[in-house]
Amino acid sequence: MASGAARTELMVRQRNATASAIMRAIVRQGPLGRKGLAAATGVTFTTITKAVTELIELGALTESARLRPQGAGRPVVPLDLPDKQRLVVGAHLHPESTSCGAFTLRGERTAWRTAPAKGRNQHERIEEAARLVDDVVTEAGAAAVLGIGVTTPWAEVHHGQPPPLVADVDRDELRAGLRERLQLPVHLEPNVRALAVEHYWWDGAGDDVLTVLVGRSIRVAQMRGGELVWDGPDAGGLVSHLVVPGSEYRCDCGQVGCVKATCTDDALLRRAVEAGLLPSGALQRDLYPDEDTEALRQLRQARARDLGRVIPLIMSLVAPAETIIRGRLGTPDEIEACIDAIRGRHRELVGREASVRYYEGSRAFNWPHASAALALDRYLAAPLEHELDRASRDT
């Protein structure tokens, strides 16, 4: 009996693996015929045909109009994703607002809401986030939603200044609160991992990309071959206590020159307040005012140089094919100086040019878009499992 159960479990895993390969190829490459899928995935045509039939029956794939073949042969029937019948939802808890959106599996927005953050404590903040997500799911159509991805700008545990923000909710509490309210799969990850997944599935990034997020903390995540390289709690996240060459800033861990004390927005804000450039109680956004000052520019330029010294160290350790920098760094000139410094230092360290760029994100729904990519990534890992769960919810 046990042997029969084991065989059944193995067959289910194999079916899911084939379905995953099919769905991933179509998300990345666009509509493909059955022979094209066999070539793209390395799976036999017969197995592809069986898997495609099951995915069509479940509504996960649709057949488009037949295309005439360029040479001899039968017409090609392209297989594609359903348009608005399959959606993923993304939510983001910003210190000043909560935002949420529903997106197709190609990342096109179908619903969007944002609201000021009014919660005065962790419980209230989680409740208002759950209500907003619930509203978006209802507007988009709960039957179409496959899952929910959630991010929040988590910083490290603060010792002294600046104090934690209300948005720094406990992840376990946030996960439990959302799952209690929302009867859908909820996937919670550090924000940089959401960005890395978004780059891969929706922004046309390559197969080996390192994402570095500069903000209240410095975080990294790497996608390689369609998978997040690091796994586990807070994996691939903080690089707080890597020492920045030449830095003399003392960290609360006791070391001198840590990334946390040198390169983060929190460190920059602390220096600005101590120098009298910003008032006590200023926020990280005040480092980038509309009416800029030379003193603030000098602080940001020094931080850009520090990033130029430490990010190449990370790149040399993980050896990505491409590196993408995200977050607010300052003016275009300051961003360019930072990227140039990274390239120069990388050349000194490893003796070759680095492919590195700064991501210019201007969409109002940037963070929910990245968060929704988490739900897409989880769905693509086991599409049959998700489709059957969705069907059972509908029933």
Side-chain angles (χ1 to χ4, degrees):
M1 184 69 68
S3 177
R7 283 198 300 270
T8 300
E9 184 180 348
L10 177 60
M11 289 175 63
V12 170
R13 285 203 304 268
Q14 289 172 338
R15 285 167 53 220
N16 245 319
T18 302
S20 175
I22 289 170
M23 299 298 290
R24 285 166 174 256
I26 291 175
V27 170
R28 287 277 286 177
Q29 299 180 37
L32 291 167
R34 288 164 176 78
K35 285 186 177 179
L37 283 169
T41 62
V43 178
T44 66
F45 180 79
T46 301
T47 303
I48 287 289
T49 300
K50 290 179 180 178
V52 162
T53 300
E54 185 172 16
L55 289 168
I56 290 174
E57 289 174 353
L58 290 168
L61 286 179
T62 60
E63 290 183 318
S64 304
R66 293 172 181 265
L67 301 176
R68 290 180 178 273
Q70 293 182 348
R74 300 174 63 183
V76 176
V77 181
L79 296 153
D80 202 0
L81 307 171
D83 186 18
K84 297 181 181 179
Q85 289 75 46
R86 294 293 184 275
L87 303 173
V88 285
V89 169
H92 182 66
L93 280 70
H94 185 270
E96 298 170 22
S97 63
T98 304
S99 52
C100 182
F103 303 85
T104 69
L105 302 190
R106 296 222 188 276
E108 297 160 352
R109 188 181 68 178
T110 64
W112 164 253
R113 295 195 184 192
T114 185
K118 296 180 180 179
R120 294 163 295 178
N121 55 49
Q122 178 170 279
H123 175 73
E124 291 179 358
R125 193 70 208 272
I126 293 172
E127 275 296 305
E128 68 185 16
R131 285 195 300 270
L132 189 69
V133 174
D134 202 9
D135 289 345
V136 169
V137 169
T138 301
E139 179 184 343
V145 176
L146 297 166
I148 301 163
V150 183
T151 59
T152 184
W154 291 303
E156 299 171 80
V157 175
H158 291 259
H159 302 284
Q161 296 296 323
L165 303 175
V166 179
D168 297 334
V169 296
D170 179 82
R171 275 160 282 187
D172 292 335
E173 292 288 335
L174 177 59
R175 182 181 288 105
L178 292 174
R179 286 179 173 169
E180 182 180 348
R181 176 74 176 258
L182 305 165
Q183 303 305 309
L184 286 162
V186 176
H187 188 37
L188 221 65
E189 285 278 12
N191 45 16
V192 70
R193 285 167 70 83
L195 295 177
V197 169
E198 178 193 32
H199 292 155
Y200 183 81
W201 291 119
W202 286 338
D203 287 339
D207 281 346
D208 185 5
V209 180
L210 175 71
T211 300
V212 181
L213 177 61
V214 179
R216 293 171 58 203
S217 54
I218 308 297
R219 291 180 176 270
V220 298
Q222 187 176 10
M223 284 288 283
R224 179 178 287 165
E227 304 288 345
L228 281 162
V229 172
W230 303 290
D231 202 3
D234 208 25
L238 297 166
V239 289
S240 305
H241 303 293
L242 187 64
V243 173
V244 181
S247 171
E248 298 179 353
Y249 296 108
R250 182 167 293 280
C251 182
D252 53 25
C253 76
Q255 286 192 123
V256 173
C258 288
V259 165
K260 178 182 177 182
T262 306
C263 299
T264 64
D265 275 358
D266 282 354
L268 212 60
L269 179 62
R270 183 168 56 250
R271 294 200 285 272
V273 171
E274 289 172 352
L277 306 178
L278 291 174
S280 177
L283 299 174
Q284 286 79 7
R285 68 182 182 191
D286 298 321
L287 294 165
Y288 312 94
D290 293 333
E291 296 183 10
D292 214 348
T293 66
E294 180 60 29
L296 281 178
R297 280 195 293 272
Q298 289 179 5
L299 269 184
R300 295 196 305 263
Q301 288 165 358
R303 193 265 295 272
R305 290 192 294 271
D306 290 328
L307 287 170
R309 285 192 286 268
V310 74
I311 289 177
L313 293 177
I314 302 168
M315 294 165 61
S316 68
L317 291 172
V318 301
E322 181 184 10
T323 300
I324 299 175
I325 313 297
R326 294 284 294 254
R328 294 185 72 175
L329 296 180
T331 66
D333 287 346
E334 291 161 2
I335 293 169
E336 184 177 357
C338 179
I339 298 300
D340 287 345
I342 292 171
R343 288 188 178 123
R345 181 58 177 153
H346 183 272
R347 194 162 47 244
E348 292 174 4
L349 286 173
V350 301
R352 59 180 175 81
E353 295 296 325
S355 175
V356 57
R357 63 185 172 91
Y358 178 75
Y359 183 94
E360 294 281 0
S362 58
R363 295 172 300 215
F365 52 90
N366 261 342
W367 277 114
H369 192 259
S371 303
L374 290 172
L376 172 70
D377 191 63
R378 180 58 63 91
Y379 169 73
L380 292 176
L384 289 183
E385 180 182 320
H386 279 75
E387 289 293 344
L388 293 171
D389 284 348
R390 190 195 64 79
S392 67
R393 289 198 305 270
D394 289 349
T395 303

